[in-house]
Amino acid sequence: VRLMELGAWSAVNGTVAPRIGQFPLTTTQGCEVQYAHGRSLFKRNQVTAASSVLSAVGTKCVTLAPEVGPKALYIAGKSFERKKQWAQAASVYQKIPVLYPEHSMADDGYALGGIAWIEAGQPTQARELWRKQADAYPTGDMAGEGFWRLAWSAYQSGDTATAIEWAERMVREVPLNVDPIHVMGARYWSARWHLYPDVQHPDLL
């Protein structure tokens, strides 16, 4: 773990890999060591191996290492992203709020999982995650992202009334100091959509 903190990625992998059996994911130490191993693999761009190690850490270390698990799943998701394996990335991200609902990264899991589902061509699954995010974490650091994507996707589908509802809800619930860009954007687009509701003719009153 100290080697990881020093950025000595190769040293971490060289130390842990031959002894991986000594650090099972049934102990706190094992969770921490294998997280260091997986993160170091990711830093060395060995993303296939990293995703395997870190996915296991995230799902098996819920009670043993609750601060390590969410970060492991987050980096596992990033590993799948690098390989354009969007469905796998989404599946990993969405585990974060399920397994670690009290962690500060829980809303990140919903937001990033939804984005990955969009990339995978599954907009319905994406919207489902963003709705859960809006309901569970309206003041999270990525709440504005989820609200905005719900609003914009509704507008693009021709449901301007729902788009306005999501935008106005964001203005009410997301603190301005948490995400001023999205909140101020929601104010603008809500007003604009009231004036120009037709997505097919956005310049007609």
Side-chain angles (χ1 to χ4, degrees):
V1 172
R2 181 60 179 146
L3 287 170
M4 177 190 69
E5 293 170 348
L6 293 171
W9 318 120
S10 295
V12 172
N13 296 148
T15 300
V16 176
R19 305 172 177 83
I20 195 72
Q22 297 177 22
F23 304 102
L25 298 178
T26 54
T27 67
T28 298
Q29 183 190 58
C31 293
E32 293 173 345
V33 170
Q34 290 210 35
Y35 169 72
H37 180 47
R39 181 166 181 249
S40 298
L41 288 168
F42 177 79
K43 290 291 188 177
R44 297 175 63 212
N45 207 35
Q46 296 185 22
V47 292
T48 299
S51 63
S52 177
V53 172
L54 293 168
S55 294
V57 172
T59 54
K60 295 181 180 179
C61 296
V62 177
T63 57
L64 293 169
E67 285 302 313
V68 166
K71 293 184 286 187
L73 292 173
Y74 176 88
I75 301 173
K78 291 298 178 184
S79 298
F80 285 120
E81 282 187 12
R82 286 193 182 178
K83 298 180 69 178
K84 308 297 183 184
Q85 295 178 336
W86 296 108
Q88 292 91 326
S91 295
V92 169
Y93 284 136
Q94 67 188 32
K95 288 180 181 179
I96 300 174
V98 173
L99 297 177
Y100 305 92
E102 303 302 320
H103 196 272
S104 62
M105 296 180 73
D107 69 317
D108 299 54
Y110 279 139
L112 296 174
I115 293 170
W117 279 127
I118 287 291
E119 294 291 340
Q122 301 292 335
T124 300
Q125 289 168 274
R127 288 190 292 269
E128 180 182 352
L129 292 190
W130 294 327
R131 288 189 192 99
K132 289 180 178 179
Q133 178 189 5
D135 291 338
Y137 306 102
T139 61
D141 63 340
M142 292 194 72
E145 182 77 30
F147 273 112
W148 170 247
R149 287 179 176 271
L150 285 166
W152 188 251
S153 63
Y155 173 67
Q156 287 185 314
S157 69
D159 188 356
T160 306
T162 297
I164 291 171
E165 289 176 10
W166 282 118
E168 293 184 346
R169 182 176 166 188
M170 188 202 313
V171 172
R172 291 194 306 271
E173 297 186 20
V174 178
L176 182 61
N177 65 325
V178 170
D179 193 341
I181 292 176
H182 278 111
V183 173
M184 294 306 293
R187 291 175 185 265
Y188 168 82
W189 283 103
S190 175
R192 184 178 178 87
W193 288 333
H194 276 289
L195 290 172
Y196 306 98
D198 189 348
V199 66
Q200 299 300 323
H201 304 283
D203 57 347
L204 296 179
L205 292 172

